[in-house]
Amino acid sequence: MKTISEHPCFGGVQGYYSHPSKEIGLDMRFAVYAPPQAAKGRVPVLTYLAGLTCTEETFFIKSGAQRVAAELGLMLVAPDTSPRGAGIKGEADSWDFGVGAGFYVDATREPWAKHYRMYSYVTRELPALIAAHFPGDLQRHGIFGHSMGGHGALVSALRNPQTYRSVSAFAPISAPIRCPWGTKALDGYLGSDRAAWREYDATELVAGHHFAGTILIDQGLGDKFLNDQLRPELLEGACRAAGQPLTLRRHAGYDHGYFFISTFMEDHLRHHAAALAA
């Protein structure tokens, strides 16, 4: 593992790092905020998955999360949103597929299958790396994210309830099988078999994968992607039918960006802290 930079922040340390990833087959970058409590022992870990076009830096620069994480003693972890430098023809041609748009799936369709394995990277390799190199307690691990990352967080938690004790999302892609972003990504990474797509769709998964805690989602009603791409009402209906606890909060006027996210960030961190302390 290589340290790129570290910075004092609210009594803790904001760091940026890289490492050679076995799952991805390339170097991956990630960021960690270690709260002041981490200087005395292991602390709960909260992984954040960012959205389309973002990097491991976006969340920490824009969300304002470190102040509250320092108060609550939460370690924050954010990976990059895709492999970089895979050398696949056309991988940087589209903002919603390829570089910056790994969709947190394990690709099975060539030429993506070799390097685009973000699901396994996020749920297996990165947690092991954090446990080995940072004072994070992976027995107290939560996950959350925004948009594409909200989709990744919901899928990761539903498929791995033994790994994650809390989950939340900001404006997630709730039903990727039924939106343009999702169908483009799932077809591109997985091929045309829709049975495989369902393993990466929270609305489909919730019928057979119960999460023990309450899922928290915040959604802005001024979000231009709400009706075509995000479809939270589909997940809401699926949760109701499956008996999955869900708190879906709708906010008039708020859009899809980080002004919205930063407004409700403290609520999400406190949601996770309560679950991880239980």
Side-chain angles (χ1 to χ4, degrees):
M1 188 185 80
K2 176 183 177 182
T3 298
I4 298 170
S5 66
E6 291 184 328
H7 314 274
C9 184
F10 290 102
V13 178
Q14 177 64 62
Y16 297 93
Y17 311 92
S18 67
H19 74 110
S21 167
K22 293 181 180 179
E23 288 288 351
I24 303 299
L26 299 164
D27 283 356
M28 285 293 291
R29 292 168 64 112
F30 67 99
V32 175
Y33 175 68
Q37 296 86 339
K40 298 180 180 179
R42 291 192 175 270
V43 295
V45 177
L46 183 54
T47 296
Y48 179 86
L49 306 182
L52 291 163
T53 76
C54 294
T55 72
E56 75 286 351
E57 296 182 312
T58 310
F59 167 72
F60 288 111
I61 293 171
K62 293 185 174 183
S63 71
Q66 293 96 325
R67 177 185 61 82
V68 180
E71 174 196 335
L72 298 174
L74 291 174
M75 177 175 288
L76 304 176
V77 176
D80 201 352
T81 52
S82 77
R84 308 273 171 173
I88 298 172
K89 184 179 180 180
E91 68 175 341
D93 288 353
S94 178
W95 68 275
D96 57 357
F97 185 79
V99 173
F103 260 83
Y104 305 104
V105 305
D106 283 350
T108 55
R109 188 175 193 175
E110 297 299 342
W112 310 97
K114 181 178 179 181
H115 296 298
Y116 277 69
R117 296 184 49 80
M118 290 299 295
Y119 173 77
S120 288
Y121 178 74
V122 165
T123 60
R124 293 203 296 263
E125 186 173 9
L126 185 58
L129 186 76
I130 297 301
H133 294 279
F134 298 88
D137 179 3
L138 272 299
Q139 297 302 310
R140 295 179 289 165
H141 191 185
I143 191 166
F144 69 149
H146 168 234
S147 193
M148 176 184 73
H151 139 76
L154 294 171
V155 167
S156 296
L158 287 167
R159 289 178 58 177
N160 300 276
Q162 74 287 354
T163 299
Y164 302 104
R165 289 173 50 180
S166 59
V167 61
S168 71
F170 298 93
I173 302 172
S174 296
I177 287 177
R178 287 180 272 183
C179 78
W181 280 342
T183 55
K184 178 178 180 177
L186 296 174
D187 181 68
Y189 292 130
L190 304 177
S192 59
D193 181 6
R194 288 191 169 238
W197 294 15
R198 287 195 288 270
E199 290 300 304
Y200 296 103
D201 185 305
T203 297
E204 297 291 321
L205 286 170
V206 76
H209 295 74
H210 184 79
F211 189 78
T214 297
I215 299 170
L216 171 63
I217 293 176
D218 278 300
Q219 175 63 60
L221 294 180
D223 190 325
K224 66 181 180 180
F225 302 117
L226 174 59
N227 295 323
D228 294 335
Q229 303 284 13
L230 306 179
R231 310 295 303 277
E233 75 281 358
L234 298 178
L235 178 61
E236 185 177 39
C239 285
R240 185 182 303 115
Q244 170 63 54
L246 168 70
T247 299
L248 172 55
R249 309 191 303 182
R250 295 171 168 92
H251 306 280
Y254 283 92
D255 61 20
H256 197 67
Y258 270 84
F259 294 117
F260 157 63
I261 293 169
S262 63
T263 300
F264 301 103
M265 178 57 62
E266 182 169 349
D267 292 352
H268 282 245
L269 295 181
R270 294 193 183 281
H271 164 80
H272 288 278
L276 298 177

